[in-house]
């Protein structure tokens, strides 16, 4: 089976930084066209896309709310996904989820419908 495991969440003051990691297990898909990404869900809100990266090309996409502050990347073996979060704001407080697609797409949209595999989440809390 495929398993995604997030880590790196925690509590931080506004303006601080956190680096999230997503280790993948049993994710055997290779080549270009697959998608990996980060989503988040705050209490009372729907899960929203934060950042995505396309395998092969490495093309990334970001939600407007985090653009310029967050950076998504993968390691050389493409088995670990990262999210570097800088200049954190209280509005960034949420449960953050790692996700990966099971199919190839022409683009990696910030939409949960593109993703088949999900981690259990890691909590990020930003205080003012």
């Amino acid at each position: 089976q495929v398993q995604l495991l997030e880590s790196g969440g925690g509590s931080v003051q506004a303006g601080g930084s956190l680096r999230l990691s997503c280790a993948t297990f049993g994710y055997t898909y290779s080549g270009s066209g697959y998608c990996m990404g980060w989503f988040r869900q705050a209490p009372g809100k729907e899960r929203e896309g934060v950042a995505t990266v396309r395998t092969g090309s490495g093309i990334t996409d970001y939600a407007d709310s985090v653009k310029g502050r967050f950076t998504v990347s993968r390691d050389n073996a493409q088995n670990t996904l990262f999210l570097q979060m800088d200049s954190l704001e209280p509005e960034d407080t949420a449960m953050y989820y790692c996700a990966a697609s099971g199919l190839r797409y022409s683009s990696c949209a910030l939409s949960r419908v593109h993703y088949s595999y999900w981690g259990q989440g890691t909590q990020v809390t930003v205080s003012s």
Side-chain angles (χ1 to χ4, degrees):
Q1 75 270 15
V2 174
Q3 182 181 359
L4 308 180
L5 181 61
E6 304 96 336
S7 63
S11 299
V12 65
Q13 293 282 336
S17 298
L18 286 173
R19 179 177 171 87
L20 305 185
S21 298
C22 172
T24 67
F25 305 89
Y27 191 55
T28 60
Y29 300 103
S30 62
S32 62
Y34 294 93
C35 303
M36 297 189 70
W38 290 94
F39 292 73
R40 67 186 183 186
Q41 187 167 21
K45 296 184 178 180
E46 295 184 358
R47 190 171 300 187
E48 64 175 351
V50 176
T52 66
V53 61
R54 183 175 173 86
T55 62
S57 69
I59 295 174
T60 59
D61 193 21
Y62 297 91
D64 289 341
S65 59
V66 307
K67 195 170 185 178
R69 300 188 297 118
F70 291 9
T71 304
V72 64
S73 62
R74 302 182 71 188
D75 70 1
N76 292 334
Q78 297 186 326
N79 63 348
T80 303
L81 187 72
F82 302 98
L83 184 66
Q84 178 66 43
M85 304 184 294
D86 298 318
S87 301
L88 283 163
E89 304 169 350
E91 292 75 17
D92 297 316
T93 295
M95 185 73 72
Y96 282 72
Y97 299 90
C98 177
S101 71
L103 298 171
R104 297 197 291 180
Y105 297 92
S106 59
S107 63
C108 296
L110 290 164
S111 173
R112 62 180 177 84
V113 301
H114 281 197
Y115 300 89
S116 299
Y117 307 108
W118 296 84
Q120 293 302 116
T122 184
Q123 179 67 39
V124 171
T125 302
V126 184
S127 61
S128 60

